[in-house]
Amino acid sequence: MPGIPCPRAAHAPERAVVDPIGAHRPGGTRRKPPPTPLSRLATRLAPLAPLGRRLKPAYPRPGRAGWRRWMPSWRQWLGAFALSIGLSGSLLVIAYAATDIPQNLNTYATQQDNVYFWADGTPMARTGWVRRQAMPLKDIPPDVRSAVLAAENESFYSDPGISVKGITRALVRTVGQGDTQGGSTITQQYVKNVYLNQNRSVSRKFTEAMISLKLDNKMSKDKILEGYLNTSWFGRGTYGLQRASQAYYGKDVSRLNASEGAFLASLLKGAGLYDPTLSEANHKRAVERWSWILDRMVKTGKLSASERATYTKFPEPLKQGRAFDTGKQSDYLVELATQYAKKAGHISDRDFDLGGYQIYTTFDRKREKMLTDTVTEARAKAKKDDPDKAKNAHYGAASIADDGRILAVYGGPDHRTQGYNESNATTVPAGSAFLPFVYAAGLQHGVHKTREGPATPVTPESVYDGNDGIPVSTPEGPYWDRSGKKVAAHNDGKKDHGQVTLRQALAASVNTPFMQLGMDTGLDKVRATAEASGLLSSSIGPQVPTLSLGSSTPSAIRMANAYATFAADGTHTEPYSVRRITRNGYRVTLDTPAPHRAMSAEVAREVTEALSDSFRTAHPGAATTTAQVAGKKGTTQDDKAAWYVGTNRDVSTAVVLYRIDLSKSLEPLPLEGIAGTPETDVPYGIWSGAMSPLR
């Protein structure tokens, strides 16, 4: 009833209220909790709630039909774009602030020479490749500077140090594993030269851009350009315009004109592609880019049209000099090892020119001395006996182990005056020194009595006609040349040998059986056997009957390597001159050739036994002490080359002697007795002197 208190209410206990922090307060009152970071953030974002409701996607969108029901509105697209721009800008600002200009310059400023070592680990040679000389910008002619700017970065003095368009293009190419060149300003290239490395990666490109922006704010444009011109690579082992000017034109950079400067500027795109002395293709590229740079200078107002009209002839640079030329035989060894190291170690010319490599070669110091001394003695004797013929005589020689290691070479009298390596030259035919490959092909593949019939096995005791002038036949009959004559082989001195076995024919160097054996086996099989043994396809020549008589023109290195295949029981390993490379204490990955089977071991042993017979037949006095020696003399029908190639245990040596008057042509001249007589065979004398067990 109204006015009467409720008994339950009168006696009910007062209920306690638990507040969020655990305190109990009578009367049901609560203490307001302190604000949390999350609640403060919610309070600050509360005014944005209406915007959030407008941007919040509602799918499917009302009032839309088809696929448009599921697409964001233009407000949502605009908001997302604005957000991405804001985030990107923030990240760039943070990255810019976090990036410092490195205090230490790149290793370009502290490079070492490349050092070459003998096989025993002792130093062999040093190459003074790294040549650098700083040059103040004021001493570099304005036309030369303008040529560089026209070629590399014409907006250099107005850009912020980076090219957004270029960086984007470079990043796309980097991600796509393409060429990254062409996307950098001069400032970026300078940063890469002195602070970073040449790695092509997105992170390196980003770091380069950040440092470039800071450097552009800190350094003057002239100082950046000066640093760039003094640190860029121009090929020929040179860094900086001053050294490049001396290497290509033999004069100080201050004496360069606009035309010469335009050529040097073209090298910045890639000296290996634009040095015109390296190849005809390089020359064509260099001329085109030189002309383009001069035209760009006119377009940018740095060169008048009238002055441009005077530069119509390409300023041909000097031929490349060799920094390691000492006059010693080791110059040829350095050249061979350098070529191999770059290829097998995947080292660019630029990186190799920076230096710091330790190249451990396969060259045997004692064998090299024996080979060099023996050839030098032979040259001196020839000069004394017949000076007129001796002045045009050329001697090439190489010793190679049966596992492919090049142990020694004789490349010529002086690398400074003869810029090519005799041991690696493919100049004259192999002649009868090629017969073992025909013999091996016959033993390996057999012969065909009919064109389509099965192959009939051949053995060392198979008999052939060894008489002179025997016409060569095919399964269909005689082989006719283009003039309508029957093709016939001839023996040395046109001597008849009658019926001989193949082993006897090889021992006595009878040509006619092998010309016929080549036809019976198939010239394609002969060629394949020679290539598998180590001869280069480019040196073998046309596939005609004379192929079997040695019309191919292998080098001494390749002939020694191919004969080593016989000594290695038919296993061939490509020749190599470097066994290990290190740089700054780290080993460089090197592609070392792997052995492969060129012929069966039985065939290789049969060839070696026949070559042993050949050696004993020609040199009976040495037979009792040289049971493991196998070798063969090589002559040509036109007397334009004399060879001796042979093996002793696991080492093979090839020696070639020929005459060429380089002042007139590259056509070999008749030897006319300078190679000696059968008793005083000069190539054999060199060969025996180089094979230590025979000396």
Side-chain angles (χ1 to χ4, degrees):
M1 291 181 65
I4 300 176
C6 175
R8 179 180 297 180
H11 299 285
E14 186 175 297
R15 182 174 296 176
V17 179
V18 180
D19 73 13
I21 61 173
H24 294 266
R25 284 196 179 187
T29 60
R30 298 189 181 209
R31 186 176 64 187
K32 187 177 181 180
T36 65
L38 186 61
S39 64
R40 285 197 296 268
L41 178 62
T43 302
R44 292 178 181 176
L45 293 179
L48 299 178
L51 177 62
R53 285 192 293 272
R54 288 196 298 271
L55 293 178
K56 180 180 179 181
Y59 297 105
R61 293 175 62 197
R64 299 289 189 276
W67 59 270
R68 292 182 178 83
R69 300 169 63 200
W70 304 98
M71 291 295 292
S73 67
W74 67 268
R75 292 185 181 87
Q76 292 166 344
W77 280 117
L78 183 61
F81 177 74
L83 182 62
S84 66
I85 292 296
L87 289 175
S88 299
S90 300
L91 289 174
L92 288 175
V93 171
I94 294 171
Y96 180 84
T99 301
D100 294 323
I101 299 175
Q103 297 301 309
N104 296 322
L105 298 182
N106 207 342
T107 52
Y108 84 94
T110 57
Q111 285 305 308
Q112 311 169 53
D113 292 343
N114 292 321
V115 185
Y116 297 76
F117 297 89
W118 292 102
D120 62 6
T122 57
M124 182 180 78
R126 289 179 177 268
T127 58
W129 276 110
V130 179
R131 301 190 293 273
R132 182 183 293 103
Q133 180 180 346
M135 180 62 61
L137 189 64
K138 64 181 179 63
D139 293 337
I140 300 175
D143 281 346
V144 176
R145 284 181 261 163
S146 297
V148 172
L149 294 176
E152 294 295 306
N153 185 190
E154 63 184 43
S155 63
F156 169 71
Y157 278 97
S158 60
D159 65 39
I162 65 171
S163 166
V164 176
K165 181 179 178 181
I167 290 175
T168 303
R169 182 170 62 249
L171 289 175
V172 170
R173 291 178 178 176
T174 300
V175 173
Q177 301 301 311
D179 180 16
T180 63
Q181 286 191 345
S184 301
T185 63
I186 280 178
T187 305
Q188 288 174 263
Q189 293 181 54
Y190 174 63
V191 167
K192 182 172 62 176
N193 286 347
V194 300
Y195 296 121
L196 304 175
N197 55 44
Q198 303 299 319
N199 293 339
R200 298 178 178 184
S201 64
V202 174
S203 61
R204 202 274 294 154
K205 199 70 180 176
F206 186 79
T207 303
E208 172 193 299
M210 293 299 102
I211 296 176
S212 298
L213 285 170
K214 279 203 166 182
L215 196 69
D216 191 76
N217 288 327
K218 184 177 181 180
M219 288 179 65
S220 69
K221 288 287 189 178
D222 282 350
K223 278 296 181 183
I224 293 174
L225 181 60
E226 178 182 294
Y228 171 71
L229 295 178
N230 283 322
T231 58
S232 293
W233 181 65
F234 288 85
R236 298 192 179 183
T238 63
Y239 284 79
L241 261 177
Q242 170 69 345
R243 284 299 193 183
S245 177
Q246 295 168 349
Y248 287 93
Y249 290 110
K251 58 185 177 183
D252 191 87
V253 67
S254 63
R255 297 170 53 202
L256 293 175
N257 59 33
S259 178
E260 294 163 335
F263 163 69
L264 292 180
S266 71
L267 296 171
L268 293 167
K269 192 173 179 65
L273 293 174
Y274 291 91
D275 185 341
T277 63
L278 298 180
S279 68
E280 291 184 6
N282 272 27
H283 193 280
K284 182 180 179 181
R285 279 191 292 266
V287 172
E288 290 176 351
R289 187 153 179 82
W290 162 79
S291 180
W292 178 84
I293 291 172
L294 289 175
D295 291 340
R296 292 292 298 175
M297 292 175 68
V298 174
K299 185 176 180 180
T300 56
K302 301 301 181 180
L303 187 68
S304 67
S306 59
E307 186 178 1
R308 168 67 179 93
T310 63
Y311 298 130
T312 57
K313 185 178 180 181
F314 179 68
E316 299 287 351
L318 302 171
K319 290 186 177 180
Q320 183 169 357
R322 296 173 177 82
F324 56 85
D325 280 341
T326 64
K328 299 179 181 179
Q329 195 62 208
S330 60
D331 294 343
Y332 294 100
L333 307 184
V334 168
E335 184 179 57
L336 276 177
T338 299
Q339 293 170 351
Y340 186 84
K342 289 180 181 180
K343 182 178 179 180
H346 305 285
I347 304 171
S348 68
D349 289 343
R350 177 192 178 97
D351 285 346
F352 200 83
D353 285 353
L354 281 172
Y357 288 95
Q358 295 80 45
I359 298 102
Y360 297 86
T361 73
T362 61
F363 304 126
D364 185 304
R365 182 168 50 170
K366 294 180 179 179
R367 284 190 176 276
E368 180 62 35
K369 185 177 187 307
M370 282 193 296
L371 180 60
T372 301
D373 290 348
T374 305
V375 177
T376 302
E377 292 172 8
R379 293 181 68 95
K381 186 176 186 306
K383 186 176 182 179
K384 180 180 179 181
D385 295 343
D386 197 335
D388 289 338
K389 294 186 178 66
K391 66 181 181 181
N392 296 321
H394 297 267
Y395 302 74
S399 294
I400 296 183
D402 61 7
D403 60 2
R405 289 175 294 124
I406 302 177
L407 304 177
V409 301
Y410 181 85
D414 191 332
H415 195 273
R416 295 170 298 184
T417 58
Q418 179 176 289
Y420 70 96
N421 190 333
E422 294 281 13
S423 69
N424 208 25
T426 56
T427 308
V428 292
S432 54
F434 187 84
L435 299 185
F437 304 110
V438 186
Y439 185 46
L443 295 177
Q444 184 73 43
H445 300 286
V447 300
H448 293 269
K449 299 298 183 182
T450 61
R451 181 70 66 183
E452 303 298 333
T456 302
V458 170
T459 71
E461 303 307 317
S462 296
V463 177
Y464 272 76
D465 192 334
N467 288 326
D468 183 68
I470 299 297
V472 178
S473 64
T474 68
E476 291 82 14
Y479 186 94
W480 305 82
D481 63 17
R482 293 184 177 181
S483 64
K485 295 181 180 179
K486 292 181 181 179
V487 174
H490 294 280
N491 299 320
D492 286 347
K494 296 188 175 182
K495 183 179 179 181
D496 292 334
H497 293 268
Q499 298 295 302
V500 294
T501 65
L502 289 176
R503 179 166 177 168
Q504 291 171 337
L506 185 60
S509 196
V510 184
N511 291 335
T512 51
F514 291 100
M515 196 167 188
Q516 184 59 55
L517 177 62
M519 298 299 293
D520 293 344
T521 301
L523 296 176
D524 58 331
K525 300 290 193 305
V526 173
R527 183 188 186 97
T529 300
E531 290 182 15
S533 299
L535 300 191
L536 295 177
S537 176
S538 58
S539 71
I540 290 182
Q543 202 162 286
V544 295
T546 54
L547 170 66
S548 297
L549 298 187
S551 60
S552 58
T553 57
S555 66
I557 288 177
R558 285 289 171 174
M559 279 296 277
N561 180 237
Y563 268 59
T565 300
F566 302 136
D569 286 340
T571 299
H572 171 68
T573 305
E574 282 288 284
Y576 64 99
S577 56
V578 177
R579 56 188 176 85
R580 183 163 62 96
I581 302 176
T582 59
R583 190 185 196 193
N584 298 327
Y586 294 95
R587 191 158 184 164
V588 176
T589 301
L590 195 65
D591 293 338
T592 302
H596 71 267
R597 175 64 59 186
M599 64 193 70
S600 70
E602 182 181 358
V603 167
R605 293 188 192 108
E606 292 284 5
V607 175
T608 301
E609 289 179 8
L611 289 173
S612 295
D613 291 346
S614 176
F615 178 80
R616 285 190 290 268
T617 300
H619 309 285
T624 57
T625 59
T626 55
Q628 301 184 60
V629 176
K632 187 169 187 332
K633 180 179 181 178
T635 59
T636 60
Q637 294 183 12
D638 52 11
D639 188 38
K640 292 185 178 179
W643 291 80
Y644 199 89
V645 192
T647 61
N648 188 3
R649 296 182 175 86
D650 58 352
V651 176
S652 173
T653 296
V655 179
V656 61
L657 170 58
Y658 58 96
R659 293 178 62 231
I660 289 182
D661 186 348
L662 294 175
S663 64
K664 295 181 179 179
S665 74
L666 295 178
E667 181 64 28
L669 303 171
L671 292 171
E672 297 180 350
I674 198 171
T677 64
E679 292 75 23
T680 60
D681 186 355
V682 174
Y684 171 73
I686 296 172
W687 181 87
S688 62
M691 302 292 273
S692 56
L694 299 182
R695 199 168 188 180

